[in-house]
Amino acid sequence: MNSSPPGLRLLRPPTVIGQFHTLFFGSVRTFFLGVLGFAVYGNEALHFSCDRDKREINLYCYNQFRPITPQVFWALQLVTVLVPGALFHLYAACKNIDQEEILQRPVSTGFYIISVLLRIILEVLAFWLQSHLFGFLVDPVYMCDLSALAKIFNISKCMVPGHFEKTIFLSAMYTFTIITILLCIAEIFEILFRRLGYLNQPVT
């Protein structure tokens, strides 16, 4: 018999894959972003330098190079992807649905599947945005367009610090996104198989 309070039981996903996804998502991915992400991107703006070593040019070109910092983007991604699950658990708490009952009730099962599908959509959207904002490779040199500053030279060559490390980190974040999408898809199949098991149980 599970002696945990209902509020604590509601915090756990009702599937094995969902619990593994929570561990992977909450621990590995967050640790990777929080610790290694700061080490790779923490001082990027300070070491980003252009041909003309002027603060105005460096700041302008860095803002052009990074419309949004990768740490902020990935933090927003993590928070956003957590929202569907949090809303479902809020719904389950309001309806006083226990963890063991989620997959036994068709309505709660449907809502949970919707929350997983929303996570998939958000992860795919984040993957697409990341590819457009940061690409897949970080070049050692960035050509900055200075035409908006009305400079005589419209192009400035800027050196990107740690470009190889950033390329590796980008690849890792893409991999994490793909893994979480695959886990969400696998969780939906687990839910469907378990629902079939409940439906096929003999009535006593």
Side-chain angles (χ1 to χ4, degrees), residues 2 8-28 89 99-100 102-103 112 116 119 183-184 186-188 190-191 194:
N2 194 338
L8 293 179
R9 291 199 298 269
L10 286 172
L11 293 176
R12 290 192 305 156
T15 62
V16 175
I17 296 177
Q19 293 175 22
F20 177 78
H21 171 266
T22 301
L23 176 65
F24 176 82
F25 189 94
S27 302
V28 178
H89 287 300
Q99 177 194 354
E100 289 78 10
I102 291 176
L103 299 184
Y112 187 77
V116 177
R119 290 206 309 262
L183 286 174
C184 288
E187 186 177 7
I188 291 178
E190 181 185 350
I191 293 170
R194 291 181 63 176

Side-chain angles (χ1 to χ4, degrees), residues 32 49 83 86-88 103 126 138 146 168-169 189 194 198:
F32 192 88
S49 60
V83 170
L87 292 177
F88 172 81
L103 299 184
V138 179
L146 299 175
I168 295 176
F169 199 89
F189 281 102
R194 291 181 63 176
Y198 286 125

Side-chain angles (χ1 to χ4, degrees), residues 22 118 134:
T22 301
L118 286 175
F134 311 126

Side-chain angles (χ1 to χ4, degrees), residues 2 24-25 38 44 51 74 79 97 116 128 145 171 175 187:
N2 194 338
F24 176 82
F25 189 94
F38 179 79
E44 183 183 45
D51 278 349
W74 289 317
V79 172
I97 301 174
V116 177
W128 179 80
D145 184 4
S171 301
T175 303
E187 186 177 7

Side-chain angles (χ1 to χ4, degrees), residues 13-193:
T15 62
V16 175
I17 296 177
Q19 293 175 22
F20 177 78
H21 171 266
T22 301
L23 176 65
F24 176 82
F25 189 94
S27 302
V28 178
R29 199 171 178 182
T30 304
F31 174 82
F32 192 88
L33 175 59
V35 177
L36 297 182
F38 179 79
V40 174
Y41 290 96
N43 296 321
E44 183 183 45
L46 297 176
H47 299 288
F48 186 87
S49 60
C50 303
D51 278 349
R52 300 155 193 84
D53 193 15
K54 295 181 180 179
R55 180 175 175 79
E56 174 192 8
I57 301 298
N58 286 340
L59 288 177
Y60 179 84
C61 290
Y62 183 74
N63 290 332
Q64 187 181 118
F65 176 65
R66 295 286 191 214
I68 180 174
T69 58
Q71 303 100 306
V72 172
F73 174 83
W74 289 317
L76 289 174
Q77 177 185 357
L78 294 178
V79 172
T80 303
V81 173
L82 287 174
V83 170
L87 292 177
F88 172 81
H89 287 300
L90 179 63
Y91 160 79
C94 293
K95 295 294 184 179
N96 198 25
I97 301 174
D98 203 349
Q99 177 194 354
E100 289 78 10
E101 299 174 338
I102 291 176
L103 299 184
Q104 298 177 14
R105 300 185 180 186
V107 176
S108 61
T109 302
F111 279 126
Y112 187 77
I113 291 177
I114 290 174
S115 72
V116 177
L117 290 174
L118 286 175
R119 290 206 309 262
I120 295 175
I121 293 172
L122 291 172
E123 289 283 12
V124 172
L125 180 60
F127 188 98
W128 179 80
L129 285 174
Q130 180 178 331
S131 66
H132 279 69
L133 287 172
F134 311 126
F136 294 92
L137 296 173
V138 179
D139 295 324
V141 177
Y142 174 72
M143 305 306 293
C144 176
D145 184 4
L146 299 175
S147 57
L149 296 180
K151 297 293 182 181
I152 298 176
F153 300 99
N154 290 334
I155 301 296
S156 177
K157 184 170 67 173
C158 303
M159 305 304 295
V160 180
H163 63 94
F164 183 68
E165 290 180 349
K166 292 178 175 63
T167 298
I168 295 176
F169 199 89
L170 274 176
S171 301
M173 296 307 294
Y174 281 121
T175 303
F176 285 148
T177 301
I178 293 172
I179 290 175
T180 52
I181 292 173
L182 293 177
L183 286 174
C184 288
I185 295 174
E187 186 177 7
I188 291 178
F189 281 102
E190 181 185 350
I191 293 170
L192 296 177
F193 288 141

